[in-house]
């Protein structure tokens, strides 16, 4: 067999979904089946922080059905993920254990940045038009039950991303709480969304003009796909066409809308909330066109798995988007571009030439890269408490594509670049949530960053060329420069001592004057 059958399960805020895919080198990713079950988890968990016994029993029943479907297709691998409704459940570990014991299905929890990154990757991997569209100023608007993610692209590069806690279910719950009629949805939802969009606009849109909006949602996207199904541009509508749809829907009852669109009547209020959110974003960005590619989180799960297993190749450099996101965070907090570029060059050079010594992965190399970019972001708040402020900024700022754990690793590496290192079992609050293996990753990456930082201690980028080699018990760092590096050599010992503690090898600077 040259391929495999893969299943993706999404335990979402408003529904549970299963997609079964055939993966092969010849056909890439081919969808075989799509099963959906509506279940409003979000309204419950957003309000109470818990999943009721009734809903837990329903999840178990549906997952058992999913398992039977997976067995009938001969599924060899699966990934099951919970999103915001599951993520915001206080006793989720107890619930997940119960579900796994009853169904045999393990549910992982996606952080917001991981979830949005999967959605975004699925567009790029599924649609050839994606690269052409994001070559122009474009906003990807990912509308979930609990929040909205807006990511701005220009010239095929991610320039900014921001999460707004105004998702469809949250807004709909608010409308029910204030007893709003649907005639008032337009004004009330707009008021709530625009209050957050105004901040986003001031931060990111003042110097950017947006031509296209790519919509990811469960309500408006399927209708746009259906409307433009038989045209040369499926899923594309102009702003004028879209506003016309919304105006027509606002003038008739939920029953009429449901019959005309062939959707359940109780979907109509959620459809309308999502529709108003898109209108607000169109107004804020002045975008001319909307593209609804019609992807789901299950698509993103499958495409990422297929990419890792080499069934498909990515046409886009997703890792560079994560780096670009970090660079924009650094820019926002007045980080030094020349300083971070120097640290990047030195730190990654040392990483690449000591792979046998540290045994870290290519993903860890990315985390080190992100740490060099954000190494001084805390200076925006305090030069004295640089380490702590940097940690808090990184943990409070979303880096799309990184998990919460990876962000915690980066935050600690940056902090310990400036502060005394704390050891496993020390009860440090900064290390809370890290396993022993993750702690070792932090220690190794910190040692690498400290050496790079020590080579540019005066922030004057004195070294034009750095070459690294392992010789016996020493890590020889050859630097070509005619500058006076007395300070660098004198202050290097402390940073070299920690490197020696972690790796058992002593770093030594050797200067070759140019």
């Amino acid at each position: 067999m040259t391929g495999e059958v893969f299943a993706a399960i999404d335990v979402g805020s408003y529904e549970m979904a299963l997609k079964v895919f055939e993966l092969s080198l010849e056909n890439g990713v081919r969808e075989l089946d799509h099963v959906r079950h509506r279940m409003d988890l979000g309204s419950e968990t957003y309000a109470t922080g818990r999943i009721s016994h009734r809903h837990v029993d329903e999840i178990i029943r549906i997952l058992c059905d999913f398992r039977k479907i997976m067995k009938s297709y001969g599924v060899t691998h699966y990934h099951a993920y919970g999103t915001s409704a599951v993520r915001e459940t206080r006793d989720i570990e107890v619930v997940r254990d119960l579900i796994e014991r009853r169904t045999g299905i393990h549910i992982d929890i996606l952080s917001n940045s991981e979830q949005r990154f999967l959605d975004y990757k699925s567009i790029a991997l599924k649609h050839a038009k994606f690269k052409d569209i994001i070559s122009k100023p474009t906003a990807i608007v990912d509308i979930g039950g609990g929040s909205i993610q807006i990511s701005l692209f220009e010239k095929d590069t991610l320039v900014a991303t921001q999460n707004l806690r105004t998702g469809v279910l949250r807004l709909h719950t608010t409308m029910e709480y204030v007893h709003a009629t649907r005639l008032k949805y337009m004004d009330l939802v707009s008021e709530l969304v625009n209050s957050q969009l105004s901040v986003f606009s001031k931060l990111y849109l003042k110097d950017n003009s947006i031509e296209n909006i790519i919509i990811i949602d469960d309500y408006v996207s399927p209708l746009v796909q259906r409307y433009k199904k038989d045209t040369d541009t499926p899923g594309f509508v102009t702003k004028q066409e879209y506003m016309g749809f919304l105006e027509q829907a606002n003038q008739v009852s939920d029953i009429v809308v449901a019959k005309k669109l062939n959707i359940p009547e109780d979907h109509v209020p959620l459809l309308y909330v999502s529709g108003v959110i898109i209108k607000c974003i169109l107004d804020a960005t002045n975008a001319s066109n909307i593209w609804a590619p019609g992807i789901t989180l299950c698509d993103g799960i499958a495409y990422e798995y297929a990419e890792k297993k080499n069934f498909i190749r990515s046409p886009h450099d997703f890792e560079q988007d994560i780096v670009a996101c970090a660079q924009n965070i650094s820019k926002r907090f007045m980080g030094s571009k020349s300083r971070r570029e120097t640290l990047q060059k030195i730190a990654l050079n040392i990483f690449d030439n000591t792979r046998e010594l540290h045994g870290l992965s290519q993903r860890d190399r990315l985390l080190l890269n992100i740490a060099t970019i954000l190494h001084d972001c805390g200076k925006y708040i305090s030069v004295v408490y640089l380490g702590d402020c940097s940690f808090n900024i990184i943990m409070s700022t979303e880096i799309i594509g990184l998990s919460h754990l990876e962000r915690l690793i980066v935050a600690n590496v940056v902090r310990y670049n400036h502060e005394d290192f704390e050891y496993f079992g020390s009860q440090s609050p900064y290390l809370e949530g890290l396993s022993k293996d993750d702690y070792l990753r932090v220690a190794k990456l910190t040692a690498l960053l400290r050496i790079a930082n020590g080579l540019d201690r005066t922030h004057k980028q004195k070294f034009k060329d750095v070459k690294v080699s392992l010789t016996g018990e020493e890590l020889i760092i050859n630097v070509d420069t005619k500058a006076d590096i007395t300070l660098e050599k004198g202050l290097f010992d402390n940073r070299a001592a920690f490197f020696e503690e972690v790796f058992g090898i002593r770093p030594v600077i050797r200067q070759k004057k140019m």
Side-chain angles (χ1 to χ4, degrees):
M1 183 178 177
T2 57
E4 61 181 85
V5 181
F6 176 80
I9 297 173
D10 172 17
V11 183
S13 301
Y14 197 68
E15 70 174 23
M16 293 177 62
L18 165 71
K19 278 194 177 186
V20 181
F21 300 87
E22 181 185 66
L23 311 180
S24 67
L25 291 172
E26 183 180 355
N27 299 315
V29 180
R30 186 168 71 92
E31 183 181 321
L32 300 178
D33 202 355
H34 184 193
V35 182
R36 304 167 69 182
H37 174 80
R38 184 197 157 184
M39 183 172 58
D40 185 3
L41 279 183
S43 296
E44 182 175 71
T45 59
Y46 300 149
T48 67
R50 297 184 70 252
I51 299 177
S52 65
H53 293 300
R54 176 176 64 86
H55 274 143
V56 171
D57 287 343
E58 190 174 359
I59 292 171
I60 290 171
R61 179 175 61 82
I62 298 307
L63 286 178
C64 286
D65 289 343
F66 284 178
R67 189 174 180 182
K68 291 176 183 177
I69 295 170
M70 290 158 60
K71 186 177 180 180
S72 71
Y73 279 101
V75 168
T76 54
H77 293 88
Y78 78 91
H79 284 165
Y81 289 120
T83 54
S84 63
V86 178
R87 195 164 56 237
E88 296 191 22
T89 303
R90 290 196 298 267
D91 59 347
I92 189 55
E93 294 306 324
V94 173
V95 173
R96 284 202 305 162
D97 178 69
L98 174 60
I99 290 171
E100 186 168 0
R101 283 188 285 110
R102 295 280 185 87
T103 68
I105 292 177
H106 176 77
I107 300 174
D108 288 311
I109 301 173
L110 289 176
S111 67
N112 179 71
S113 59
E114 289 176 299
Q115 177 189 344
R116 310 304 183 168
F117 199 59
L118 281 177
D119 285 340
Y120 150 53
K121 285 184 79 169
S122 68
I123 308 172
L125 292 168
K126 189 176 182 180
H127 292 279
K129 296 177 182 177
F130 177 76
K131 195 171 183 67
D132 290 336
I133 290 174
I134 65 168
S135 65
K136 300 174 183 177
T138 299
I140 296 182
V141 180
D142 191 348
I143 303 172
S147 65
I148 308 166
Q149 190 80 22
I150 305 178
S151 303
L152 303 181
F153 287 79
E154 191 166 350
K155 296 179 181 178
D156 196 26
T157 302
L158 177 69
V159 296
T161 186
Q162 185 66 47
N163 185 253
L164 310 178
R165 288 175 69 86
T166 51
V168 173
L169 277 178
R170 286 193 200 275
L171 290 170
H172 181 246
T173 300
T174 302
M175 293 300 100
E176 290 188 327
Y177 183 77
V178 300
H179 305 292
T181 63
R182 194 162 66 80
L183 290 175
K184 291 187 177 181
Y185 270 38
M186 177 75 79
D187 292 335
L188 296 179
V189 171
S190 295
E191 190 172 342
L192 289 170
V193 174
N194 287 333
S195 65
Q196 292 201 32
L197 277 179
S198 63
V199 178
F200 178 83
S201 298
K202 289 176 183 176
L203 286 172
Y204 303 111
L205 295 179
K206 57 184 179 182
D207 298 323
N208 296 306
S209 60
I210 304 298
E211 291 186 29
N212 306 305
I213 290 181
I214 301 175
I215 298 295
I216 305 170
D217 84 322
D218 293 327
Y219 307 103
V220 173
S221 292
L223 300 181
V224 175
Q225 280 276 313
R226 190 191 311 173
Y227 175 75
K228 289 279 188 167
K229 186 176 181 179
D230 299 322
T231 67
D232 294 333
T233 55
F236 283 85
V237 293
T238 65
K239 179 179 180 180
Q240 291 74 20
E241 287 176 318
Y242 177 78
M243 296 304 291
F245 300 152
L246 196 61
E247 184 63 31
Q248 289 177 20
N250 194 35
Q251 294 174 355
V252 296
S253 67
D254 288 0
I255 297 176
V256 173
V257 173
K259 287 183 177 179
K260 188 171 183 179
L261 299 177
N262 193 29
I263 61 174
E265 186 179 341
D266 55 1
H267 276 210
V268 175
L270 298 167
L271 166 67
Y272 198 67
V273 170
S274 190
V276 175
I277 291 171
I278 295 169
K279 174 191 177 299
C280 292
I281 293 171
L282 280 170
D283 291 339
T285 59
N286 291 315
S288 303
N289 303 296
I290 295 175
W291 178 36
I295 60 93
T296 68
L297 178 60
C298 287
D299 294 312
I301 296 169
Y303 276 90
E304 181 174 72
Y305 180 83
E307 185 185 16
K308 286 181 179 178
K309 292 290 185 177
N310 297 317
F311 288 111
I312 57 174
R313 279 192 176 180
S314 169
H316 183 77
D317 188 349
F318 296 107
E319 185 173 298
Q320 185 53 43
D321 289 325
I322 300 174
V323 172
C325 185
Q327 288 172 339
N328 281 287
I329 294 169
S330 175
K331 182 180 178 181
R332 191 192 319 166
F333 291 101
M334 307 298 180
S336 168
K337 182 180 179 181
S338 60
R339 168 79 167 138
R340 77 170 183 245
E341 287 177 348
T342 299
L343 272 186
Q344 276 181 290
K345 184 177 179 180
I346 297 173
L348 296 181
N349 186 2
I350 296 172
F351 183 99
D352 292 339
N353 285 282
T354 56
R355 287 181 183 273
E356 292 184 6
L357 185 65
H358 56 64
L360 294 169
S361 68
Q362 193 66 14
R363 186 70 176 184
D364 291 318
R365 187 183 190 275
L366 172 64
L367 299 186
L368 177 61
N369 194 2
I370 301 301
T372 64
I373 294 169
L374 299 176
H375 77 280
D376 63 348
C377 62
K379 288 181 180 179
Y380 186 82
I381 299 174
S382 171
V383 176
V384 177
Y385 302 106
L386 175 56
D388 289 344
C389 291
S390 296
F391 180 93
N392 291 329
I393 285 174
I394 294 168
M395 292 308 298
S396 301
T397 308
E398 196 164 59
I399 304 174
I400 193 167
L402 295 190
S403 67
H404 175 82
L405 172 62
E406 289 175 326
R407 192 150 44 102
L408 182 59
I409 289 172
V410 170
N412 272 301
V413 171
V414 171
R415 182 177 184 274
Y416 292 129
N417 180 50
H418 305 290
E419 308 291 340
D420 291 339
F421 195 79
E422 297 170 299
Y423 297 96
F424 194 69
S426 64
Q427 306 301 314
S428 167
Y430 295 100
L431 298 175
E432 187 176 336
L434 293 178
S435 68
K436 184 178 179 180
D437 287 341
D438 295 327
Y439 159 77
L440 291 174
R441 292 167 74 192
V442 169
K444 291 176 181 180
L445 292 173
T446 299
L448 293 167
L449 183 57
R450 282 189 177 187
I451 289 297
N453 194 48
L455 292 173
D456 190 33
R457 191 68 182 85
T458 57
H459 298 193
K460 291 186 176 180
Q461 295 87 51
K462 294 178 181 178
F463 306 139
K464 292 185 178 181
D465 191 20
V466 176
K467 293 182 179 178
V468 180
S469 61
L470 281 170
T471 305
E473 298 294 317
E474 292 182 332
L475 177 72
I476 307 300
I477 303 172
N478 291 295
V479 296
D480 288 350
T481 181
K482 59 183 179 181
D484 183 351
I485 61 169
T486 303
L487 277 173
E488 279 77 10
K489 279 188 171 181
L491 298 173
F492 190 69
D493 283 348
N494 183 47
R495 293 179 173 274
F498 184 72
F499 188 95
E500 186 175 19
E501 180 183 342
V502 173
F503 295 112
I505 299 289
R506 184 76 178 180
V508 177
I509 298 177
R510 289 186 181 171
Q511 182 182 11
K512 178 183 177 182
K513 294 188 177 181
M514 300 174 66

